[in-house]
Amino acid sequence: MLGTAAGGGLPQWNCGCTGCETARRTGATRSQDCLALSADGTAWYLVNASPDLRSQLLTTPELAPPPGTRDTPLRGVLLTSGELDHTLGLLTLRESAGLTVHATAPVRAALHDAFPAGPVLARYTSVHWHTVAPGEPFELAGGLVAEPLALGGKRPRYAADLPALPADGRSPQPPGDRTDWVIGYRFTEAEGRATAVYAPGLAAWTPAVDRAVAGADVVILDGTFATDDELAAHTAGARTSRGMGHLAVADSLPHLARRPGPRYLYTHLNNTNPLAHPGSAQAHALAPALAAAGAAVAEDATLLEL
Ligand code: MLT
Ligand code: MN
Ligand code: ZN
């Protein structure tokens, strides 16, 4: 896990709240949401490309170029959304000899229009775009299989005015807008020995989420906010967690508790989230419920071996 914070990171550059100040003082910081994974330990994929990507890559020995080469173990990037905290790092990869990016149709369209990372990158490297669709698994190098999972229709703010893409017939879409602006992935190692689910933006607990977590070894899920009203309590007039497309930890925990088996890890923590501040009274109060559900808070620079 390269990064475990929501957009802005911890501390956020312009925030002097108690949590951000504590992170500055103690060094218990978090970089923005990003995962690297590999089925064979040789071919690696990024899930999301955070604005902190350069320092995340530099502190991850597995992702260093072999000595004496201008090469990289990175074989591509899979996006879970078009949000800036998941896509700004694409520009950091412009020195790549070639770059493969997997994204859903609306995210791919947004990255060629409202935030034209695609056309910009095309001037620096050759980018191979692959459109992914919920329910259509695809194979990656090193024996990794990725199955996208539709998680929500929340667009990035910069894409608010993009016209809705028509349904493409590949996956059932409601009229109007798509449900695959935000996706998760169910990753399996081709021999079926290990399964991981990555869902840093989970709007609601749906039957599809239930199916995805069944039998998984590890489920890394949306831990943006601890409670639905967390941001409103912090900033007058702010939206609810659900209104921002994030199911709060307090609201997903009961689902986890009913589905024991996987190891659950919360990621994409906002700097307001008391769970990001281990010494806080609220974190202490939530600890028993987390432990009872087999859940924990993810930390930056964690290596999970399944
Ligand atoms: C989100 O996760 O909801 C977005 O990244 C928020 C944002 O950065 O605007
Ligand atoms: Mn985000
Ligand atoms: Zn803060």
Side-chain angles (χ1 to χ4, degrees):
M1 303 198 64
L2 303 187
T4 60
L10 177 69
Q12 183 169 304
W13 66 278
N14 62 347
C15 189
C17 76
T18 315
C20 288
E21 271 313 309
T22 306
R24 269 187 198 93
R25 187 167 39 79
T26 60
T29 62
R30 287 173 188 270
S31 63
Q32 293 162 86
D33 176 48
C34 195
L35 174 77
L37 89 163
S38 175
D40 66 355
T42 302
W44 287 82
Y45 289 87
L46 290 178
V47 189
N48 294 325
S50 98
D52 302 318
L53 188 54
R54 181 173 177 278
S55 51
Q56 291 171 334
L57 294 177
L58 294 186
T59 50
T60 308
E62 289 83 352
L63 303 179
T69 69
R70 173 67 83 80
D71 199 3
T72 171
L74 286 179
R75 293 287 164 268
V77 182
L78 292 82
L79 299 175
T80 66
S81 79
E83 295 285 353
L84 294 176
D85 59 342
H86 287 160
T87 55
L88 278 171
L90 289 173
L91 301 178
T92 294
L93 298 173
R94 66 189 176 282
E95 294 92 358
S96 304
L99 184 61
T100 300
V101 184
H102 300 266
T104 62
V107 168
R108 185 173 166 177
L111 294 177
H112 285 80
D113 185 327
F115 171 35
V120 170
L121 277 170
R123 296 286 180 180
Y124 294 80
T125 184
S126 59
V127 191
H128 311 281
W129 291 89
H130 292 272
T131 303
V132 306
E136 292 183 13
F138 54 98
E139 215 167 307
L140 297 162
L144 189 64
V145 177
E147 179 169 356
L149 164 74
L151 290 181
K154 200 197 98 186
R155 299 158 168 242
R157 276 193 263 180
Y158 69 77
D161 299 329
L162 278 187
L165 281 182
D168 57 12
R170 292 175 73 187
S171 46
Q173 300 291 345
D177 212 348
R178 313 266 303 204
T179 57
D180 55 354
W181 275 100
V182 181
I183 61 168
Y185 288 98
R186 188 179 208 268
F187 294 105
T188 36
E189 187 259 339
E191 316 249 308
R193 287 182 299 226
T195 300
V197 174
Y198 197 61
L202 187 62
W205 197 281
T206 62
V209 175
D210 257 339
R211 285 193 294 276
V213 306
D217 297 290
V218 63
V219 175
I220 303 166
L221 77 164
D222 192 336
T224 311
F225 300 109
T227 52
D228 201 43
D229 62 355
E230 178 182 310
L231 204 57
H234 209 261
T235 319
R239 285 172 296 168
T240 62
S241 175
R242 223 177 277 260
M244 295 180 69
H246 298 289
L247 187 64
V249 171
D251 298 322
S252 59
L253 267 181
H255 296 283
L256 273 46
R258 280 194 291 274
R259 287 153 190 89
R263 176 177 177 194
Y264 291 102
L265 288 170
Y266 282 105
T267 194
H268 190 272
L269 278 78
N270 194 52
N271 52 61
T272 52
N273 188 336
L275 291 169
H277 312 296
S280 72
Q282 299 106 309
H284 195 71
L286 281 163
L290 282 172
V297 172
E299 302 294 340
D300 280 26
T302 304
L303 178 66
L304 301 169
E305 284 190 75
L306 308 183

